[in-house]
Amino acid sequence: MRRFDVIVVGAGGIGTAAAAHLARRGASVLAVDRFPPGHSRGSSHGQTRLIRLAYYEHPDYVPLLRRARELWRDLERETATPLLTECGLLSSGPADGDVLVGTLRSAAAHGLAIEHLPAREAMRRWPAFTIPDGWESVFEPTAGHLAVEACVRAHADVAVRHTAVIEAAHDVRGWRVEGQGVVVETAKESFAAGRLVLCPGSWATSLLQLPMIPFTVLRKSLFWYAPSAGLSADAAAAIPTFAFDTPRGFFYGFPLLDGRGLKLAEHTGGQVVADPLTVDRRIDDAEQATIEGWLADHLPGVGRMRSAHEVCLYTMSPDHHFVVGLHPEHPQVTVAAGFSGHGFKFASVMGEVLADLALTGATPLPAAFLSPERFSP
């Protein structure tokens, strides 16, 4: 049986970051997954992810986001790879909606530089968008997007450079505590370690051994549309990232970055997934119609020339906040799951948090509000 200081189960966005931070600190690390880093079967693919500081979900995330940005920039320098692009984020919706209210609350609590704009002023500055009268907008100029697959590969490369072992094609069947350490069982072989870090993504329910936390997996579609005559390629590339809180749902998107066009998706909604291995990855006509309805209402110059489509998975916690901390029953096990569709931007700092917890049992970073203990009876 091969033995390591730490085993990381799951080598996606969070797991590769954890492996990189652990290996940098001199731990012998094994990271295992069904698929190689940067694959398209989980939650860390699809060209881009938003990154922002004025976090409407809760102000407590902002200190973690500040550290995440520092670490993404560090990773760029270490790997000589561009990962984070600042192009701004335009958020629009009713003034009393959750997105606008929460964004303004976080900005005020942490002194963040944002602009609060009426609909007319937002459309004057970004004429590609249609924003209803009575709505308001917030523009965060330092927000932007992360190159998601490149981020995963960069963390994996750093981990391997520091002697971590990353192995794909492992079907993890389970784990058990043995003495002061753990044993991880896969379909191929078993491994032993002093510490275990679980980053199971959509397999959280079966692998975390936390029955008090009911996770739900949702199928989410990503769509790309080529700009049409109503919006030139230059104009499509110059718009900021965007997020719209509408009566139909919460939608977000990205400027044109390559030949695929503009990327759009709905953050709300989604189809419940029973088995992450058997997800239907075909285009759902109703989902496409919803996206194209949003385009007609708010970005009419794009047209209906769909150029690409992908499916990714959200693993939802009951309160839609992350589940990160020591396992309540096994202190040699650290868990990271339930990122609920808004976690990738935190991958860099989550790697640091998980390395702290695995190696020392505590972290100086303000992540206690994410502990799985909040679900204890």
Side-chain angles (χ1 to χ4, degrees):
M1 186 184 299
R2 287 190 280 167
R3 297 179 181 274
F4 299 83
D5 294 332
V6 186
I7 296 172
V8 179
V9 171
I14 306 297
T16 53
H21 280 274
L22 286 160
R24 277 199 197 105
R25 299 184 195 188
S28 64
V29 179
L30 169 69
V32 293
D33 202 314
R34 290 176 182 268
F35 309 108
H39 66 85
S40 62
R41 301 290 297 275
S43 305
S44 299
H45 62 282
Q47 187 186 40
T48 48
R49 291 294 186 275
L50 290 174
I51 184 165
R52 49 197 166 91
L53 284 180
Y55 217 62
Y56 80 85
E57 289 86 344
H58 201 285
D60 285 355
Y61 284 101
V62 175
L64 292 172
L65 283 163
R66 283 180 159 146
R67 179 59 178 155
R69 286 178 63 94
E70 293 174 357
L71 291 169
W72 287 123
R73 292 304 190 195
D74 289 347
L75 186 63
E76 286 183 317
R77 287 187 288 270
E78 186 172 0
T79 61
T81 304
L83 301 173
L84 193 166
T85 300
E86 292 184 3
C87 60
L89 169 66
L90 178 68
S91 299
S92 298
D96 59 353
D98 290 345
V99 174
L100 268 290
V101 170
T103 299
L104 293 170
R105 181 176 66 244
S106 283
H110 294 280
L112 302 177
I114 62 168
E115 300 177 57
H116 189 184
L117 308 168
R120 188 178 302 275
E121 173 61 15
M123 287 192 292
R124 185 190 69 78
R125 289 176 58 178
W126 298 283
F129 294 108
T130 299
I131 303 172
D133 289 340
W135 279 22
E136 296 182 5
S137 296
V138 171
F139 182 64
E140 183 180 336
T142 61
H145 53 82
L146 293 161
V148 60
E149 289 95 347
C151 289
V152 176
R153 288 192 292 266
H155 273 136
D157 289 347
V158 168
V160 171
R161 194 179 308 153
H162 288 83
T163 74
V165 177
I166 299 179
E167 295 187 0
H170 279 289
D171 176 5
V172 177
R173 299 293 176 85
W175 57 272
R176 67 180 185 273
V177 170
E178 193 167 278
Q180 298 301 308
V182 294
V183 171
V184 173
E185 298 175 346
T186 80
K188 289 183 175 180
E189 61 182 299
S190 296
F191 308 97
R195 297 289 183 268
L196 173 62
V197 177
L198 293 168
C199 307
S202 302
W203 284 267
T205 295
S206 61
L207 288 178
L208 288 189
Q209 299 184 24
L210 291 173
M212 74 283 199
I213 307 179
F215 294 97
T216 302
V217 179
L218 298 178
R219 174 194 182 277
K220 308 294 293 187
S221 282
L222 313 173
F223 294 89
W224 284 260
Y225 285 84
S228 63
L231 183 68
S232 71
D234 287 345
I239 65 174
T241 58
F242 50 90
F244 276 57
D245 182 17
T246 81
R248 295 186 184 186
F250 180 39
F251 299 83
Y252 65 97
F254 301 83
L256 182 149
L257 301 177
D258 58 27
R260 282 174 286 184
L262 293 90
K263 175 185 165 184
L264 303 126
E266 182 183 357
H267 181 62
T268 45
Q271 303 171 18
V272 175
V273 171
D275 182 352
L277 285 178
T278 60
V279 176
D280 185 350
R281 297 181 181 275
R282 296 171 297 181
I283 292 174
D284 181 282
D285 291 340
E287 291 176 342
Q288 179 170 316
T290 298
I291 288 290
E292 294 183 355
W294 182 90
L295 282 171
D297 290 343
H298 300 289
L299 201 54
V302 171
R304 304 297 175 271
M305 295 176 60
R306 176 178 49 76
S307 53
H309 168 265
E310 291 192 35
V311 166
C312 77
L313 303 175
Y314 282 8
T315 304
M316 310 295 293
S317 74
D319 60 8
H320 297 186
H321 295 296
F322 314 156
V323 179
V324 178
L326 297 179
H327 193 288
E329 297 179 7
H330 307 294
Q332 63 270 66
V333 178
T334 304
V335 302
F339 286 93
S340 301
H342 63 107
F344 186 86
K345 63 184 74 64
F346 295 86
S348 58
V349 71
M350 285 295 110
E352 188 170 53
V353 168
L354 295 172
D356 288 344
L357 292 171
L359 297 177
T360 71
T363 179
L365 290 161
F369 75 103
L370 301 173
S371 170
E373 296 280 4
R374 73 185 187 272
F375 296 102
S376 296

